[in-house]
Amino acid sequence: MLRTGVAVGAALVVTCAFGVTPARSSPGPPTLAGPGFQVAARLGVTSVSPSRPYTVTFASDGLKQRYTPYLTAAVAQMRAAGVRIGIGGTESVDPGRCPPWGHIQYTQTYRPLNRGGYSRGMPCPGPAGGVAAGGIVTMDSEYFDGTWHIAPYQLRNTFVHEMLHTFGLDHPNRDLDGDGKAGAYECVTGPGGVRPVMCSPNGGYKSASSAGRLTPYDMAALRAMLANARRAG
Ligand SMILES: [Zn+2]
């Protein structure tokens, strides 16, 4: 029942020619974790720009038409949180190269992580100043050709989960049961048992009206990353 990809060892890490740039001296350390969120500082991303625009693009017109409805609610929430993000057009996507600054490229292949039902979202690693600079989401084609069953709410949440990976968010799973490991589904839960959409696997709202939206945990994560950028100047 694992649907969403873990951002480890993906192609962008290997092939993007970006060095890790340490954050400049700042008044205080950045906030990298909180209740229900975790920043993937191991990839060199610690903040989200409150001033520079981010644009979601697609590898083809067909993908743009198919994918946009899954993203509009989350994009609106992100804008409300202070992220200057919008839905853009199409452009060629090379899964091995970071896109132009601020572009979040969506493409689709068969089993991008070589595991059935997994998709992948990767930020460009080591962006200047630790400020999220865009990345690539590769959706598993199995969701769309009928070979992998995925519930509609899970698909909606997967689209958003992977996009938030490109902004530098990691899985907030924790060892809550004390067995020594942060296991699957092991995340803080809110009212109604809602887990962060970044919880692995299958986090997020389950209702048809709320699936595909960021939970308050994920919103707090973005606000923290925006604050990190403001603090660093
Ligand atoms: Zn993930």
Side-chain angles (χ1 to χ4, degrees):
M1 296 301 286
L2 299 173
R3 312 289 187 201
T4 54
V6 180
V8 173
L12 281 177
V13 171
V14 176
T15 54
C16 283
F18 287 87
V20 174
T21 306
R24 290 180 205 173
S25 59
S26 56
T31 302
L32 301 178
F37 75 84
Q38 177 67 51
V39 177
R42 62 196 166 82
L43 298 175
V45 184
T46 55
S47 65
V48 170
S49 176
S51 56
R52 299 183 71 177
Y54 295 93
T55 307
V56 181
T57 67
F58 307 88
S60 69
D61 286 337
L63 290 185
K64 175 178 164 67
Q65 289 183 16
R66 175 186 292 170
Y67 287 1
T68 296
Y70 292 98
L71 298 170
T72 49
V75 164
Q77 284 182 288
M78 293 171 73
R79 291 181 67 87
V83 181
R84 295 187 59 204
I85 182 172
I87 304 279
T90 65
E91 63 183 346
S92 64
V93 174
D94 179 347
R97 289 178 65 90
C98 284
W101 197 101
H103 287 210
I104 294 95
Q105 298 179 325
Y106 272 80
T107 188
Q108 179 176 307
T109 62
Y110 175 76
R111 298 190 176 183
L113 289 177
N114 297 316
R115 298 178 70 177
Y118 276 80
S119 292
R120 180 177 63 197
M122 278 298 302
C124 291
V131 183
I136 299 180
V137 173
T138 309
M139 299 296 292
D140 182 9
S141 62
E142 293 175 295
Y143 308 146
F144 306 101
D145 64 12
T147 58
W148 190 271
H149 173 73
I150 183 167
Y153 80 87
Q154 291 173 330
L155 182 57
R156 298 190 75 85
N157 288 330
T158 297
F159 267 98
V160 177
H161 177 108
E162 303 302 349
M163 177 165 64
L164 293 180
H165 272 317
T166 72
F167 280 88
L169 285 182
D170 208 340
H171 302 146
N173 296 54
R174 295 284 187 272
D175 178 19
L176 300 178
D177 61 9
D179 70 350
K181 62 176 184 182
Y185 305 98
E186 214 171 343
C187 300
V188 297
T189 56
V194 174
R195 297 183 177 87
V197 77
M198 290 313 293
C199 187
S200 180
N202 297 331
Y205 294 106
K206 296 183 179 179
S207 69
S209 59
S210 294
R213 293 178 181 275
L214 284 71
T215 71
Y217 304 112
D218 310 297
M219 291 291 279
L222 285 180
R223 291 194 187 97
M225 294 184 81
L226 288 161
N228 288 343
R230 292 190 185 100
R231 240 191 342 258

